[in-house]
Amino acid sequence: MASYWRTLRYSATALGAIEERILISDFSGRLQFLNYRAQAMFGLSNRDVSRYRLQELLPSLDPLAFDASNVHVDFCLEAVRLMQDGEARLFSVTRGALRLDGETQPSGFVWVMRDITVEQSAQTALAERERFWSEVLRAIPDTLYVQDLSAGKLIFSNNNLAVRLGYSEEERGSDANQFWQRISHPDDL
């Protein structure tokens, strides 16, 4: 047990310097250590932390994450929503087994919480922007045909030219790119 605490003390310096929130628990989920960022987030000190189980701090965490039979399997749960400074934040939570001093059996878990709020917002904004422009490109009455000349590859085409040339819906198919590949002369590609 002394080597356990010594290892934690040595690790505390390194763990305190990183952006993520690091929590260390035993197999039952009882907390043993929080790095500085986790202490600030949960309002706990390492003197008080052993009174808490991780489930109390992260109630939405899947109970299977604490299953000792899965100890050798890393666990990742995306999108745990928590309030921080009065604002809802989104965190990814990853669990790894903690092995000390060459032990073959893990002695607990290391939990890494990474704030993914900004990433999720950016992904949502990008998806909305892609959807908007996709709708615009498909709705305009003009014919659009984008081709990579160096690779001789069709990148995008809407169906307007095929409609104007009189091809039926069955002839066009659902994929305008495949349609243009089928009807184009090889020298035109």
Side-chain angles (χ1 to χ4, degrees), residues 51-75:
R51 289 188 242 153
Y52 294 90
R53 293 188 177 280
L54 188 60
Q55 297 94 321
E56 294 174 73
L57 302 182
L58 302 173
S60 63
L61 199 60
D62 185 349
L64 291 177
F66 301 99
D67 183 359
S69 66
N70 287 332
V71 73
H72 298 291
V73 177
D74 286 340
F75 173 84

Side-chain angles (χ1 to χ4, degrees), residues 1-183:
M1 191 63 160
S3 68
Y4 177 78
W5 288 110
R6 183 174 57 244
T7 302
L8 283 180
R9 277 195 309 275
Y10 291 146
S11 300
T13 303
L15 295 176
I18 61 176
E19 284 281 321
E20 286 81 6
R21 285 93 178 142
I22 307 294
L23 303 90
I24 296 177
S25 74
D26 62 15
F27 284 124
S28 70
R30 181 156 310 281
L31 292 169
Q32 304 295 315
F33 173 83
L34 303 178
N35 74 340
Y36 173 74
R37 288 190 146 268
Q39 289 178 41
M41 180 176 172
F42 294 111
L44 297 173
S45 72
N46 278 320
R47 284 188 300 270
D48 304 325
V49 78
S50 64
R51 289 188 242 153
Y52 294 90
R53 293 188 177 280
L54 188 60
Q55 297 94 321
E56 294 174 73
L57 302 182
L58 302 173
S60 63
L61 199 60
D62 185 349
L64 291 177
F66 301 99
D67 183 359
S69 66
N70 287 332
V71 73
H72 298 291
V73 177
D74 286 340
F75 173 84
C76 184
L77 172 68
E78 289 288 331
V80 172
R81 191 170 304 279
L82 296 171
M83 293 299 288
Q84 185 178 5
D85 300 327
E87 180 184 353
R89 307 292 296 179
L90 210 51
F91 290 87
S92 70
V93 179
T94 306
R95 180 199 81 186
L98 177 65
R99 289 180 176 76
L100 301 172
D101 296 332
E103 295 176 2
T104 57
Q105 287 299 318
S107 30
F109 296 122
V110 176
W111 303 85
V112 179
M113 295 179 60
R114 190 171 63 84
D115 190 338
I116 59 170
T117 307
V118 173
E119 289 173 37
Q120 290 291 86
S121 296
Q123 286 177 351
T124 301
L126 179 60
E128 288 172 6
R129 184 165 279 192
E130 282 180 5
R131 189 181 74 251
F132 171 79
W133 285 112
S134 177
E135 289 173 11
V136 167
L137 291 174
R138 294 193 193 310
I140 61 172
D142 297 328
T143 298
L144 293 175
Y145 181 92
V146 180
Q147 184 174 3
D148 180 345
L149 294 176
S150 62
K153 240 176 112 176
L154 177 68
I155 296 172
F156 173 82
S157 173
N158 63 6
N159 276 326
N160 292 339
L161 182 59
V163 170
R164 286 198 177 119
L165 293 175
Y167 285 97
S168 70
E169 198 170 317
E170 296 83 42
E171 291 171 313
R172 288 191 317 265
S174 61
D175 188 350
N177 291 352
Q178 286 181 355
F179 170 74
W180 287 113
Q181 293 289 344
R182 278 194 329 267
I183 70 163

